[in-house]
Amino acid sequence: MNSAITQDSAPVIRAVERLLPPHYSPQEQIIGALRDLWATRHYNIERLEELHRSVQVDGRFLALPIEQYRALTTFQQRNDAWIKVASELGEQVVGKALERTGLTPRDVDHIFFVTVTGISTPSVDARLMNRMRMRSDVKRTPIFGLGCVAGAAGVSRASDYLRAWKGQTALLITVELCSLTLQREDLSIPNIIASGLFGDGAACVVLQGADKAPAATGPRIVATRSVLFPDTERIMGWDVVDSGFKVVLSAKVPQLVREHIRRDVDGFLGEHGLTRKDIQHWVAHTGGPKVLQAFEDSLELVAGSLERSWKSLHEVGNLSSASVLFVLGDTLESGVAQPGDWGVMMAMGPGFCAELVLLRW
């Protein structure tokens, strides 16, 4: 738990840039490709189609053209593709984010890079430093394994750093290429749901310390909280197997949201003299229809509070760690936030855990 700090000394979010790969496939096309793949081995192909449609995703952007996935038969092939595409998308999204703020790669002091869909040593952040000719003294913090919660957690960790280094600029970069993790031999319900829910995308957040951007218009990161739910390791994550990352995804995720999120949010806000009625903007990770409904019901949100999360889910699917940053970027670009408004960014992921971020414009 982090205590609140005065707003004028809080780190500020200068920009959020989002990027999707160029290869788009409607959900029906993806269903057709998977039906062809699994038809001879799945006892109930109609159930596959039903599960895909139930996640309410209209289509997804993919790291590669859909016809190229069949040739990726090994973990090495998929991970090599991940490194190539992650480096390309990372460079593009960072460039666009810096351009938004009038900064250059030489202005960056620290990179936080998060992902859960591929592995690389040196990590992608080092590759981006070379590709973009950043200073050699840039600090790097690559974070693997937080999954869907990592977008919010990355903002929290970057803000922790900038509270100490108030005159510096940090980037949070996330690249998730979920399509490259598909286990074609796994006919389990979790894998089938994941193959219908998760998409590919990248995001970059530019953050600055209070001394670096004293007149920035916000939003400022006033406080953060991390919550781990004990003994819930098998709720979400990966089993690392010979063929790569095999998804662990329990049907209990919405139940955990309903059991915990109201208490956690109320406790977090209460420490800063706030209640849910004081929050004008809710930025929620697009975990799926049942998760978003659980957020709305448990927090007793007014209609439309999570409209941008629902829209992102329908249009691009769950982008793992990038999802909550897509929603945050949409919120900033909408221009609806007014000076003095409060916001809460929230996400949940492997652990099982939650991350809460208190924002003020």
Side-chain angles (χ1 to χ4, degrees):
M1 181 186 68
N2 296 321
S3 59
I5 57 178
T6 58
Q7 185 178 347
D8 59 1
S9 64
V12 63
I13 295 174
R14 292 290 312 282
V16 180
E17 187 59 69
R18 294 90 73 213
L19 186 66
L20 294 160
H23 313 291
Y24 178 78
S25 290
Q27 193 78 335
E28 291 301 318
Q29 182 184 15
I30 295 174
I31 290 174
L34 291 172
R35 183 174 55 236
D36 293 343
L37 174 65
W38 286 332
T40 60
R41 292 176 292 139
H42 199 278
Y43 70 94
N44 188 350
I45 204 68
E46 290 78 16
R47 179 60 172 158
L48 181 154
E49 298 179 16
E50 177 186 334
L51 289 170
H52 267 229
R53 296 188 178 101
S54 71
V55 298
Q56 300 181 30
V57 175
D58 298 332
R60 282 168 288 163
F61 291 81
L62 305 177
L64 303 172
I66 194 168
E67 61 273 10
Q68 292 186 14
Y69 283 83
R70 186 176 291 272
L72 302 178
T73 58
T74 69
F75 177 46
Q76 180 178 350
Q77 289 173 331
R78 291 193 294 272
N79 198 69
D80 285 347
W82 180 88
I83 292 172
K84 179 178 184 296
V85 176
S87 299
E88 293 169 351
L89 290 180
E91 181 178 7
Q92 293 173 46
V93 78
V94 169
K96 290 177 179 293
L98 292 173
E99 184 178 354
R100 275 183 179 263
T101 56
L103 299 172
T104 73
R106 304 288 296 179
D107 296 315
V108 176
D109 299 297
H110 198 132
I111 298 173
F112 294 82
F113 179 79
V114 300
T115 191
V116 75
T117 52
I119 54 176
S120 170
T121 304
S123 50
V124 168
D125 43 289
R127 298 167 190 266
L128 295 180
M129 284 182 63
N130 287 319
R131 294 171 73 112
M132 305 189 75
R133 293 296 181 257
M134 294 182 181
R135 301 193 326 264
S136 61
D137 64 343
V138 171
K139 298 172 183 175
R140 299 184 294 117
T141 304
I143 303 173
F144 177 86
L146 289 180
C148 298
V149 80
V155 168
S156 297
R157 301 296 83 77
S159 70
D160 290 344
Y161 174 82
L162 291 171
R163 291 182 187 187
W165 299 95
K166 294 183 172 66
Q168 293 198 3
T169 298
L171 301 181
L172 167 64
I173 308 167
T174 173
V175 182
E176 300 289 14
L177 306 178
C178 302
S179 65
L180 291 173
T181 68
L182 176 67
Q183 297 294 300
R184 63 184 65 192
E185 301 301 321
D186 180 7
L187 299 180
S188 67
I189 295 298
N191 191 54
I192 291 173
I193 292 174
S195 71
L197 176 61
F198 290 96
D200 299 348
C204 178
V205 184
V206 181
L207 307 98
Q208 290 185 313
D211 292 349
K212 190 71 171 181
T217 57
R220 293 188 177 270
I221 302 163
V222 178
T224 67
R225 171 175 282 189
S226 301
V227 184
L228 179 70
F229 308 130
D231 304 319
T232 55
E233 292 98 329
R234 297 299 296 175
I235 294 296
M236 178 181 288
W238 296 130
D239 283 333
V240 182
V241 298
D242 289 344
S243 55
F245 300 134
K246 180 179 178 181
V247 70
V248 175
L249 183 61
S250 171
K252 295 180 180 179
V253 172
Q255 177 186 332
L256 278 173
V257 175
R258 293 181 184 277
E259 290 176 355
H260 295 282
I261 197 66
R262 180 190 297 183
R263 180 193 63 202
D264 293 332
V265 168
D266 285 350
F268 178 51
L269 294 177
E271 290 187 352
H272 309 299
L274 301 170
T275 69
R276 278 175 272 139
K277 292 181 180 179
D278 295 309
I279 305 303
Q280 288 83 22
H281 310 288
W282 295 91
V283 180
H285 165 67
T286 56
K290 292 182 179 180
V291 171
L292 287 178
Q293 191 63 57
F295 277 138
E296 290 181 338
D297 294 345
S298 301
L299 298 174
E300 301 172 317
L301 301 180
V302 299
S305 295
L306 299 185
E307 178 182 0
R308 292 181 183 85
S309 296
W310 282 105
K311 182 173 182 289
S312 184
L313 174 67
H314 297 326
E315 292 181 351
V316 300
N318 182 339
L319 306 179
S320 190
S321 65
S323 280
V324 75
L325 302 181
F326 269 61
V327 179
L328 177 62
D330 289 343
T331 302
L332 299 186
E333 287 189 1
S334 71
V336 297
Q338 300 299 313
D341 281 3
W342 291 97
V344 169
M345 179 164 60
M346 53 189 178
M348 306 182 85
F352 192 71
C353 65
E355 196 80 24
L356 304 173
V357 181
L358 182 62
L359 304 171
R360 195 170 199 193
W361 276 259

